Amino acid sequence: MANLSEVNTALPQMRPSRFRLPRGEAWRENLYGYFFISPWILGFVLFLAGPLLVSLGLMFTEYAGFKKITYVGLANFEELIKFDIRFIGSLRVSAVFAFWTVSLAIIISLAMALLLNQRFKGHTFFRGLFYLPAAVSGVAMTFVWAAMFEKDYGMFNQILRIFDFDRVDWLTSIEWALPSYIIMRLYGVGHYMVIMLAGLQSIPDDLHEAAKVDGASGLALFRHITLPLLSPTIFFLMIVGMIGSLQVFTEGFMLTQGGPARSTLFYVLYLYIVAFTERRFGYASVLAWLLFLIIMGLTLLQFWLARRWVHYESQEA
Amino acid sequence: MVFRELSLPVRLLFYLFLVVAAISILYPLTWMSYTSLKTNEEVMLSPFGLPTRISFENIAEAWQTGNFTRLYANSILIAVVSVIGIITISTTAAYGLARYHFKGNRAIFIYFLVGMAVPTQALMVPGFKLMAILDSWAAALHLPIAFLNSPLAVILTYMSWSSLAIIFIRAYFMSIPPELEDAARVDGARELQILRHVMVPLAMPAIATMTIFYFVFFWNDFLWPLIYLHKHTLRTIPLGIMHFEGKYVSLWSLQVAALSLAAWPPIFMYILFHRRIQRGLTEGALKF
């Protein structure tokens, strides 16, 4: 569901309108209300809430997916804290990955959006073009990137050769494998750009005009008007980007499977290996819920920090 | 800064920069597309050169050896059924939540919103287990239904992720004046008819946006087919591509042709619907 959460839905919060059915017919309201929501509730309980409750319970067991389930108390948690080097490593890999992809994506998309926000002929065309790679993400794109990173004929090493640099072992060396994934992820930066651009376009022109009349320079305009008014958008992208990149899995699973030397063992990849290769469902549940807690915690932290730098117009009104 | 006020050389430089940026951004995609249209000899002689003539031999061979007819059929089945299911469920639920003051309306809405924040990773293990249990029940009852190793497992899992569509469509319903329904009600329409003939047509923009979003997401998703579908006849396009790329490692041109077969449909979808996709992306972000 990570990708879906990219569509933010903080649409206007309106209260349901009243006065629809004749008064005194509360039972009809109830009947129809429950009738309309029942398919959703049923699916939700059966295929989402139910399984999640089960996985909460699985955290205290050892279970390989067959008949036998052994209750082991807190042993899984103990292992996690005391003995699991791969866990610490994968946490670090995912954190490094998330930090760099999100910060670079925000800087690059901001620059692109500022450029495309100028009123020139064809700006919608270029905007559409820059977004295209983000729409084609997925398995096929990952393999195209593997070809780009190829040692001898790949695009990157060809370019390096033109400029007489040594070739780089992109996906196969410990120091370059993770940066390669970061570059790969940044290819979807068009997604950030479209949202950033919408943010820029929502800033009223007259604010800039007024500041210009007062003699503000281009840089001052950017620093004191554009950036503060854009901060809610940047904040939104930080949250969504962080949640998405902490859950990275597909690329790593297909190309390097965690190697070389666990340098690309992303957290979710490790979780998948524990669950479906080693078949330790109990321990995998602990890892899954810990990731949930980490993401929740970081999101709350971001919201708390946001009070210091995110500027909402309504606060001043 | 007003673009027209800039001098001609500056404007030209600006365009030059944009064109260079566009070419380098699109390079991996264009490389993939034109390489798959080259002949084998051309790929051998100049792996990165443009084709001198267009040939579909690799595309055709990849379609054959990769069994793409089946991959496409599987992907289309899963994506279409899941989207129809999820849109039906969400539209009715959104209508119920938007228009009826039943007991616990607000509480249920907020409570199930949490469904959006749930990490899919936490669902991998119990989801797999649930499908195995449903399988054993079906076997005990002698029902001819399979869950694991059948598209049903993927479809049911996808269909439970309707929170996003519900929030989106519910907000749209709320912006529609209730007088319209009251008029229909006076004319004797039943509640389901009102939903079907009054509300759904009015909320079409929101429903269409959600349809495209979910379709692209289900089409590209890799994790859930990977967990549930282990028979090669059931593979979706992402799964098929993964196995294909592992099998024909030395046949570069064939591999790239298979990638094109997987990547072209989303590109085509995007070109068709790019306005709606971009609008859906930005609509909510601004109100954050």
Side-chain angles (χ1 to χ4, degrees):
Chain A
M1 244 180 324
N3 288 359
L4 286 177
S5 66
E6 283 162 2
V7 197
N8 177 273
T9 44
L11 292 168
Q13 293 291 314
M14 279 171 278
R15 322 204 96 239
S17 52
R18 311 215 89 164
F19 322 116
R20 291 213 25 296
L21 291 166
R23 272 159 200 260
E25 296 208 41
W27 65 273
R28 274 194 68 188
E29 293 266 332
N30 283 336
L31 181 75
Y32 280 114
Y34 291 131
F35 169 70
F36 280 119
I37 64 168
S38 53
W40 165 48
I41 302 284
L42 193 73
F44 188 94
V45 170
L46 215 59
F47 295 104
L48 206 71
L52 281 172
L53 283 179
V54 171
S55 93
L56 271 180
L58 280 178
M59 293 201 291
F60 307 97
T61 65
E62 207 152 84
Y63 183 45
F66 308 108
K67 285 256 151 64
K68 210 178 100 201
I69 298 188
T70 329
Y71 175 78
V72 293
L74 296 174
N76 285 330
F77 298 91
E78 205 182 324
E79 177 180 349
L80 182 84
I81 296 163
K82 287 192 186 148
F83 310 110
D84 198 345
I85 325 165
R86 287 187 298 174
F87 155 69
I88 306 282
S90 67
L91 203 56
R92 218 211 57 179
V93 169
S94 278
V96 171
F97 176 81
F99 175 79
W100 285 108
T101 39
V102 175
S103 31
L104 289 174
I106 283 176
I107 294 168
I108 295 169
S109 64
L110 178 59
M112 281 163 78
L114 284 171
L115 214 60
L116 284 176
N117 197 31
Q118 308 305 317
R119 282 183 206 112
F120 59 92
K121 264 204 192 97
H123 70 276
T124 41
F125 172 74
F126 279 107
R127 186 182 64 188
L129 219 59
F130 288 157
Y131 179 73
L132 183 62
V136 204
S137 62
V139 176
M141 231 34 248
T142 306
F143 282 110
V144 171
W145 274 97
M148 298 288 125
F149 283 130
E150 209 271 335
K151 257 187 266 179
D152 300 310
Y153 304 106
M155 176 186 79
F156 285 102
N157 278 351
Q158 297 272 19
I159 294 172
L160 288 180
R161 198 155 66 190
I162 293 171
F163 295 104
D164 244 10
F165 286 110
D166 285 338
R167 74 170 192 199
V168 170
D169 293 337
W170 292 100
L171 285 167
T172 44
S173 65
I174 293 176
E175 60 271 30
W176 280 103
L178 192 56
S180 302
Y181 281 109
I182 295 171
I183 296 171
M184 212 184 287
R185 230 337 136 90
L186 288 175
Y187 191 56
V189 79
H191 177 96
Y192 287 69
M193 181 207 68
V194 169
I195 294 171
M196 203 70 102
L197 200 53
L200 277 178
Q201 281 162 356
S202 71
I203 300 175
D205 273 343
D206 40 336
L207 278 175
H208 281 122
E209 296 302 324
K212 237 188 269 176
V213 171
D214 291 346
S217 69
L219 204 66
L221 275 181
F222 177 72
R223 172 78 188 74
H224 296 291
I225 293 184
T226 313
L227 218 48
L229 288 178
L230 202 58
S231 58
T233 312
I234 296 174
F235 177 56
F236 169 74
L237 288 174
M238 273 174 70
I239 299 276
V240 167
M242 183 193 74
I243 294 174
S245 53
L246 281 176
Q247 298 183 352
V248 62
F249 165 76
T250 309
E251 296 95 322
F253 176 78
M254 279 185 298
L255 296 184
T256 53
Q257 307 244 325
R262 290 191 209 134
S263 61
T264 59
L265 187 67
F266 297 106
Y267 192 94
V268 178
L269 182 57
Y270 175 51
L271 168 58
Y272 178 88
I273 291 171
V274 169
F276 293 100
T277 310
E278 300 171 3
R279 289 192 82 90
R280 300 182 57 206
F281 285 174
Y283 194 53
S285 298
V286 173
L287 288 172
W289 279 101
L290 185 67
L291 178 64
F292 177 57
L293 284 183
I294 291 172
I295 289 177
M296 282 287 282
L298 285 175
T299 308
L300 290 177
L301 179 73
Q302 295 257 36
F303 269 96
W304 185 73
L305 288 174
R307 289 187 303 187
R308 288 150 198 265
W309 67 274
V310 177
H311 170 100
Y312 287 104
E313 252 181 295
S314 53
Q315 284 171 353
E316 276 157 47
Chain B
M1 198 185 349
V2 181
F3 189 69
R4 273 165 299 159
E5 287 171 4
L6 299 170
S7 65
L8 187 67
V10 175
R11 270 189 285 173
L12 283 178
L13 216 68
F14 181 79
Y15 275 112
L16 186 73
F17 176 78
L18 278 183
V19 170
V20 171
I23 289 174
S24 41
I25 281 180
L26 290 184
Y27 180 73
L29 276 177
T30 39
W31 170 81
M32 174 195 77
S33 296
Y34 74 68
T35 303
S36 58
L37 297 175
K38 290 193 330 190
T39 60
N40 282 329
E41 299 84 74
E42 272 186 318
V43 174
M44 299 288 260
L45 288 173
S46 66
F48 283 85
L50 287 166
T52 49
R53 67 184 177 83
I54 288 174
S55 129
F56 288 97
E57 62 175 56
N58 278 314
I59 292 281
E61 206 191 326
W63 186 282
Q64 276 288 324
T65 45
N67 206 349
F68 266 86
T69 317
R70 172 147 276 157
L71 298 184
Y72 266 88
N74 289 339
S75 274
I76 290 171
L77 174 79
I78 289 181
V80 168
V81 176
S82 309
V83 166
I84 292 175
I86 213 163
I87 293 294
T88 314
I89 292 173
S90 329
T91 311
T92 45
Y95 182 62
L97 288 168
R99 286 299 199 243
Y100 295 97
H101 275 273
F102 55 88
K103 242 194 190 146
N105 180 324
R106 201 151 181 82
I108 287 179
F109 178 64
I110 291 167
Y111 182 71
F112 287 102
L113 267 184
V114 178
M116 273 208 351
V118 160
T120 22
Q121 292 76 30
L123 269 177
M124 292 195 309
V125 167
F128 180 79
K129 191 61 210 162
L130 173 72
M131 295 304 162
I133 292 171
L134 289 177
D135 260 341
S136 63
W137 286 355
L141 296 168
H142 299 290
L143 292 174
I145 318 172
F147 289 89
L148 276 185
N149 267 323
S150 111
L152 203 57
V154 185
I155 291 169
L156 287 173
T157 305
Y158 284 162
M159 271 169 54
S160 64
W161 298 346
S162 47
S163 303
L164 174 87
I166 290 175
I167 300 162
F168 202 85
I169 298 170
R170 174 181 170 269
Y172 204 91
F173 277 158
M174 288 186 147
S175 67
I176 298 172
E179 286 77 21
L180 285 168
E181 296 146 72
D182 290 337
R185 209 164 274 127
V186 169
D187 290 343
R190 287 159 180 274
E191 300 302 301
L192 262 175
Q193 285 174 323
I194 292 173
L195 172 63
R196 168 91 182 69
H197 297 292
V198 179
M199 296 304 269
V200 168
L202 285 171
M204 226 39 207
I207 293 173
T209 303
M210 281 296 104
T211 304
I212 296 164
F213 252 100
Y214 275 100
F215 189 88
V216 172
F217 175 68
F218 293 155
W219 186 270
N220 283 330
D221 187 47
F222 171 74
L223 183 64
W224 294 92
L226 176 76
I227 288 172
Y228 291 138
L229 308 175
H230 302 144
K231 271 193 214 147
H232 67 93
T233 49
L234 294 171
R235 281 176 194 156
T236 57
I237 292 175
L239 277 184
I241 285 290
M242 187 188 78
H243 288 278
F244 192 89
E245 300 300 307
K247 212 158 145 193
Y248 299 98
V249 179
S250 49
L251 293 167
W252 179 262
S253 43
L254 202 60
Q255 275 192 327
V256 179
L259 295 182
S260 289
L261 283 174
W264 282 341
I267 295 179
F268 188 65
M269 285 259 310
Y270 173 68
I271 293 170
L272 271 182
F273 298 117
H274 64 108
R275 289 232 166 76
R276 197 168 282 290
I277 291 176
Q278 296 200 357
R279 209 184 306 147
L281 270 177
T282 50
E283 226 157 50
L286 293 182
K287 288 164 185 139
F288 190 60

